[in-house]
Amino acid sequence: MGKNVLIVFAHPEPKSLNGSLKDVAVERLTANGHRVVVSDLYAMNFKATADGADFLARNNAERLNYMEESRNAYENGTQAADVAAEQTKLKDADAVIFQFPMWWFSMPAILKGWVERVFAAGLTYGVGQHGNGRWGDRYGEGKLMGRRSMLSLTCGGLPSQFGPRGVNGSLDDLLFPIQHGILYYPGMDVLPPFVVYQSRRQTLDDWPRLKSEYEKRLDGLFTDGSLPFRLQNGGHYDDQQVLKPGLGAGESGTRIHLLQPGDPPQAMPATTGKA
Ligand SMILES: Cc1cc2nc3c(=O)[nH]c(=O)nc-3n(C[C@H](O)[C@H](O)[C@H](O)COP(=O)(O)OP(=O)(O)OC[C@H]3O[C@@H](n4cnc5c(N)ncnc54)[C@H](O)[C@@H]3O)c2cc1C
């Protein structure tokens, strides 16, 4: 049965390589029977800055506390219309694809702004019980559980430069704040990223190969395995949220947060909490 897919597209030029990859996703997923919605952030002139204008009513008009006002506005229906509209697309989606060029080792500012504004308190963070041994519903639990997500990005650098000993730092580490900190945090499953390296060296001769590689990944959007991040509340972390001794052996850095063969089973979340 067809599913709902949201593509969040962050590139100022529709004819760019990123624009072509976005078009491929729309065509392929539609041909596969899915319903696709695109948030073309530059075309929408999406407001990237999180500020007091995001709230139609304020709890405290004297001093802005963005997190508190975010929760208040989310719960009381007083968010800016563009934020509420993007949240509706997000909640309706069974999978979310983020299409962007790597800019300064991360996502373009307009996309980071989309996350900051759309991922409201009470929807994506500050969810569940905090205190008495619980640190909330996050990292594998939360209101976006049951959804899949995938980064599709282009980088100027070579694969070797993003490898385990590459000068740029490993791509797994660079994407950890996005894949683990933004997507897994509110409960989404995260598929391995689709990456075009040396993007500026690509030519139209390379395009049929790139297109076909991406189409294969799109065909697996609802069947491919996701990154095996550990559950926060699954028993692998201690009461201070530190990975327990003996787990992550032989790994370092952010890779210790991936399950390894032979790890003890995790307690699965009790609730789905789907938004
Ligand atoms: C501010 C900034 C910061 C950056 N920081 C980093 C960084 O930290 N790390 C890093 O690795 N890189 C970085 N880069 C490089 C950046 O990642 C690349 O410029 C980007 O990935 C290129 O993607 P594009 O869609 O803009 O490509 P485009 O410039 O649109 O296209 C790239 C090439 O693909 C060809 N192409 C092939 N097929 C097609 C098709 N079907 N449609 C369109 N074009 C096609 C084009 O002809 C062109 O030669 C940065 C760039 C900027 C501007």
Side-chain angles (χ1 to χ4, degrees), residues 75-254:
E75 289 175 352
N76 294 305
T78 52
Q79 301 179 107
D82 60 343
V83 169
E86 293 306 297
Q87 285 169 355
T88 300
K89 295 180 199 171
L90 186 61
K91 290 177 185 177
D92 286 347
D94 298 297
V96 188
I97 296 174
F98 296 85
Q99 180 66 57
F100 62 95
M102 177 182 278
W103 280 1
W104 286 111
F105 294 87
S106 187
M107 51 172 74
I110 199 168
L111 180 53
K112 181 67 169 9
W114 183 90
V115 174
E116 289 174 10
R117 297 182 64 229
V118 174
F119 276 34
L123 171 64
T124 57
Y125 66 107
V127 172
Q129 177 191 321
H130 286 74
N132 292 328
R134 282 229 13 142
W135 296 74
D137 296 347
R138 56 178 198 168
Y139 295 126
E141 289 177 82
K143 290 189 178 170
L144 297 190
M145 269 179 88
R147 293 171 179 78
R148 307 199 119 211
S149 60
M150 182 171 82
L151 304 184
S152 172
L153 69 151
T154 64
C155 322
L158 292 156
S160 58
Q161 294 164 342
F162 290 103
R165 290 169 65 81
V167 68
N168 288 349
S170 85
L171 194 69
D172 290 344
D173 285 342
L174 297 175
L175 297 184
F176 188 79
I178 306 175
Q179 297 188 140
H180 190 260
I182 294 174
L183 304 178
Y184 190 60
Y185 191 101
M188 286 197 266
D189 292 325
V190 187
L191 298 187
F194 177 75
V195 186
V196 178
Y197 293 97
Q198 280 195 292
S199 49
R200 292 165 58 247
R201 294 280 182 91
Q202 303 301 317
T203 67
L204 294 180
D205 290 341
D206 297 309
W207 178 243
R209 176 183 50 80
L210 290 178
K211 180 170 183 275
S212 146
E213 286 172 4
Y214 191 35
E215 284 171 343
K216 281 200 195 86
R217 291 299 311 276
L218 294 164
D219 292 348
L221 187 61
F222 291 101
T223 50
D224 286 351
S226 56
L227 297 172
F229 291 130
R230 299 175 192 278
L231 291 165
Q232 168 183 268
N233 297 316
H236 287 188
Y237 297 92
D238 68 17
D239 63 1
Q240 292 302 305
Q241 298 292 282
V242 176
L243 192 62
K244 290 179 177 172
L247 297 175
E251 291 292 357
S252 60
T254 60

Side-chain angles (χ1 to χ4, degrees), residues 258-272:
L258 293 167
L259 289 168
Q260 292 179 325
D263 277 346
Q266 302 182 100
M268 298 312 284
T271 56
T272 60

